[in-house]
Amino acid sequence: MPVDLFPLNVLLVGTSQEADAIVDAFALISEQPLKLQVVEPQQSVQALDQLSACDVAIIPQSLLGAAAKQELLVPRSEDWIGKLNQQFGTPFALPASGLGRWGADVLGIAVGAKLPARLAADPQSDCKTWQDYQLWVESLGGQAAEALAPGWAGWSFLNRCASSVSGAWLFESSELNPALSNEEHVAVLQQLCATAKHYDDHQLTPGQIEAQVRQGKLLGGIGMVTAAAAANAANAADGAEQAAQARIELSVFDLPSGDARSVDGSPGDLSIAAFKPLLGHYVPIACLTTGCRQNEVATAFIGWLASNQDTQSLHRRCQYLSVTRSNSSEDEGLQPLTQAPYERWLQTKLQQRSARVPMNLPGADLYYQAVDQAVGKAVAGALSAEQAMQQASEAWDAITDSIGRDQQKRAWKMARGL
């Protein structure tokens, strides 16, 4: 791996603990000094002002459109990508097909691609449709959860839409009219609110749900592994009883699917793809910036970060970093790289190609906040599903007009690779 006397300047949208984890892990395989600057996720938009002063940026994909608009990132050539793949392993199909892309350009490499899963203590549970899922939740007597904490309610709603909506995705037409208030999206929110009545706790994050299922505090729900949850689980295992709970092995399943409008107990429309995931706003993308002065070193750092080469400890300490590539050995290319249940499931899912277009327009965080707040109000009973989706639609229209409708129309085409 190449080494430069000058530190590689890296901007991370994350936490100081995650920055320390990156420095510690990289020091084990390279003598290249790193200088990390941290922008907390809650202030992620501020990272745009600092991109040109660093060599590498690790940003959530929700910032990709805004960074592309300001021409802060350097498109990578097919030759560059080919050399990276040869040295650090071939990317799984799902992250390679859409993440880091803007129109025809590759602006970054996915260094994580965590997806939500249905988690259960019972390996025999079966939920093909969202109607099945609600009946299963009811049978658990409140010991189930979905991520409905502030900042996550919109994510849970959009994940349900991803496996339920067969019509327009996010926007209705080339005019960028929001699709949220149409019949399908309203039905999804109605179903989410109906299921949420059977959850005891509406304030959990995806990682907290995973940890509580693994500890035996919950019997099931929808979540994913995060570093924070893993740390909390380890802390909770001090006592003998809690240690026994922490040994529960998760059963991990795809999210349910089917048309949410079938609410009379009949099956949903299973012609909809059984698993069409949405890679969330938080997915980390590593990019070379226009201010990069150490191209060779920066490329090697990004390649290592995206690989499975001595990154296991790093993934345990960083919330959203995960394996996104096969082993560089051809013999092991399609084999799971870990035996942990969630990671094993995730690596299988990342080898498929079909996924929903992520929300990564300029202003993506504003669009997401609007739907998150509306869904939260509906779950709390402050708004009906129709009212919540109308409120979110009006907010989306206002955001689009404030940024510039024509500009956003072009950006939405780029986000879809057109």
Side-chain angles (χ1 to χ4, degrees), residues 56-258:
V56 174
I58 305 170
I59 59 175
Q61 73 160 347
S62 59
L63 285 184
L64 192 68
K69 173 188 173 184
Q70 297 183 36
E71 298 183 343
L72 296 170
L73 306 175
V74 180
R76 309 315 304 167
S77 68
E78 291 299 324
D79 181 62
W80 182 90
I81 294 169
K83 291 179 179 178
L84 195 78
N85 295 348
Q86 183 177 12
Q87 184 174 358
F88 294 102
T90 303
F92 295 134
L94 197 61
S97 64
L99 292 178
R101 292 183 177 270
W102 190 251
D105 291 331
V106 176
L107 297 181
I109 300 297
V111 293
K114 291 188 176 180
L115 295 168
R118 185 175 69 86
L119 309 173
D122 178 7
Q124 303 302 318
S125 64
D126 185 24
C127 300
K128 289 185 173 64
T129 70
W130 286 107
Q131 288 81 16
D132 294 338
Y133 175 76
Q134 181 167 329
L135 292 172
W136 177 64
V137 167
E138 292 176 17
S139 74
L140 299 182
Q143 288 186 278
E146 205 164 342
L148 298 173
W152 288 103
W155 177 78
S156 291
F157 167 72
L158 290 174
N159 279 315
R160 281 174 171 254
C161 289
S163 64
S164 302
V165 171
S166 58
W169 173 246
L170 300 182
F171 297 100
E172 288 276 11
S173 68
S174 60
E175 293 303 309
L176 224 62
N177 298 320
L180 296 177
S181 58
N182 69 22
E183 181 184 17
E184 283 189 291
H185 290 80
V186 169
V188 170
L189 183 54
Q190 288 173 333
Q191 193 173 67
L192 170 58
C193 292
T195 304
K197 293 178 181 178
H198 302 282
Y199 297 142
D200 285 346
D201 193 341
H202 290 174
Q203 298 299 312
L204 296 177
T205 67
Q208 289 171 332
I209 292 169
E210 184 273 336
Q212 291 196 22
V213 174
R214 186 158 32 80
Q215 295 166 22
K217 296 177 181 179
L218 291 174
L219 297 178
I222 295 172
M224 63 185 182
V225 173
T226 67
N232 291 339
N235 292 336
D238 291 338
E241 180 180 355
Q242 291 171 323
Q245 291 175 339
R247 287 196 296 270
I248 293 175
E249 181 166 317
L250 286 175
S251 293
V252 184
F253 305 93
D254 294 356
L255 293 188
S257 63

Side-chain angles (χ1 to χ4, degrees), residues 1 22 24-30 83-90 299-315 322-329 332 337:
M1 185 171 289
I22 292 172
D24 292 346
F26 193 61
L28 296 176
I29 58 97
S30 174
K83 291 179 179 178
L84 195 78
N85 295 348
Q86 183 177 12
Q87 184 174 358
F88 294 102
T90 303
T299 297
F301 172 73
I302 289 176
W304 166 78
L305 199 61
S307 76
N308 57 19
Q309 297 178 11
D310 300 305
T311 53
Q312 291 84 354
S313 64
L314 179 62
H315 295 159
S322 66
V323 172
T324 59
R325 292 171 177 261
S326 65
N327 295 315
S328 54
S329 167
E332 298 175 341
L337 304 174

